Amino acid sequence: MIPRVLSSSGREISVPGDKSLSHRSVLFSVLSKGTSRVSGFLEAEDPLNTMKAFSHLGLKIEKLSPGSYLFTSPGKSSLHSPKEELDFGNAGTGIRLSAGLLAGLSGINARLTGDHSLQKRPMSRIIKPLSAMGASIHGKEDKAPLEIQGKKLSPFVYKSPIASAQVKSCLMLAAMASETSLEYEEEILSRDHTENMFRFLGNKLQYSSPTHFKMEPPYIFEAGDFKVPGDISSAAFFLVLGVLLKEGSVLVKNVGLNPSRVGILKALEAMGAKILIHNERVECGEPVGDLEAVSSNLYFSDIPEEWIPSLIDEIPILTIAGLFAKGGFAIRHAEELRAKESDRITAMVENLRNLGILVHEYKDGYEIPEQNSSANSSELQAWLSGKGAKISTKMDHRIAMSFLVLRAVSGLDLTPDETSWIETSFPGFESLLKGFLS
Ligand code: S3P
């Protein structure tokens, strides 16, 4: 087994604001005439890029204190076309959700782009349904940069072939911007923050099942007061660290606990982890609480397909936990991982193999036999301490952070090739982690 070298007696931390909710707080503020107030906003590259993009259309931004902003919109019909290209950096959520909103705004012309990683990611998943609504949206080989001419869109019924909150939210925002109706169905529920924020502003969704709803105008867009809790996707790194401590626990305060996001808790618990929830409450239509992860012994557990959308972003760090599980670790039905900031199946498989760990790769996941049988721990340790190992992070924040957690809990000599990507979602991650090592 890879050794666990780190202990901590009851350390308490908080993590930055939820990335999904931060993007959405900008987009709902853009749609609502007047001044919306946001607190807990994630001041990381991804949501800051979304904020900046809409400032080019007329959104006024006033920063009150760290994470607290006033967003003043002239109302959706008084926005103007941006003079410059809108750059969403590394953010799939930023570009896909904004594309929906802009495609539904009559008279707005915009060009949306992003970094090298974003320009490789599939956009046909939004281009196809938006075009079917009558939108004008084009990208070479269906990739960014995307050219959009906003239009009044038609009522639309869509059964999504993938459980993607980005696709769902893109179409919902297009319907809202265009004041048209949308009936949307997905096979497995993807994160439902857009639905929650929509209802928080006083709108209604008519559900025929938990994964099938209809929305119909007129919509209410009143400037809101949005409170963003800590991001469970960021908390996940410290929850796994807490579970993998030799002894002790970690308390992560003020974390969003939306049921469509808590797959990481379910999976860790199924693997034998002790995670306690304290101080549960509801803020802005979203459940929130404090999470305490206690040093635990882990074992293999099947991760069911229906949990995948609710832990899709946490699979790299869950895999690090899985390296310490008796009986090994497997993730399947997760082909969507190949369409993230990097191909996360390849990224995890390549890096783990490079450490001497046996991994079976599949189209939709991978399997890691128990470390006792796949790699001799003393050999692994000796090899790494002699040579060290480079981690290829592939422009992907979550790959970088996952291996930094592995390094912290195991003491293995791992060096990520680049860590600047962490700024897209979790500024301060490395110093928070260092706090555990001192
Ligand atoms: C997100 C949805 C998910 C997730 C991403 C954030 C969102 O993507 O991976 O990090 O905020 O809607 P998909 O919708 O592509 O699964």
Side-chain angles (χ1 to χ4, degrees), residues 20 24 93 125 163-166 191 312-313 336 340 398:
S20 294
R24 286 162 174 80
T93 307
R125 55 183 59 198
S164 163
Q166 293 184 3
R191 65 189 66 190
I312 190 77
D313 291 342
E336 268 298 299
K340 295 296 173 192
R398 298 197 205 283

Side-chain angles (χ1 to χ4, degrees), residues 198-217:
F198 180 73
R199 281 186 297 223
F200 179 66
L201 293 184
N203 295 289
K204 288 203 168 45
L205 290 168
Q206 302 146 41
Y207 278 92
S208 39
S209 81
T211 54
H212 186 177
F213 65 81
K214 188 168 181 184
M215 54 194 279
E216 275 178 313

Side-chain angles (χ1 to χ4, degrees), residues 336-348:
E336 268 298 299
L337 284 178
R338 297 200 183 272
K340 295 296 173 192
E341 285 83 331
S342 70
D343 173 341
R344 287 187 177 150
I345 293 179
T346 304
M348 291 306 292

Side-chain angles (χ1 to χ4, degrees), residues 313-324:
D313 291 342
E314 289 67 71
I315 291 172
I317 187 61
L318 185 63
T319 306
I320 299 300
L323 294 177
F324 296 84

Side-chain angles (χ1 to χ4, degrees), residues 286-297:
E286 294 273 347
V288 180
D290 303 337
L291 295 172
E292 184 181 2
V294 183
S295 163
S296 310
N297 290 323

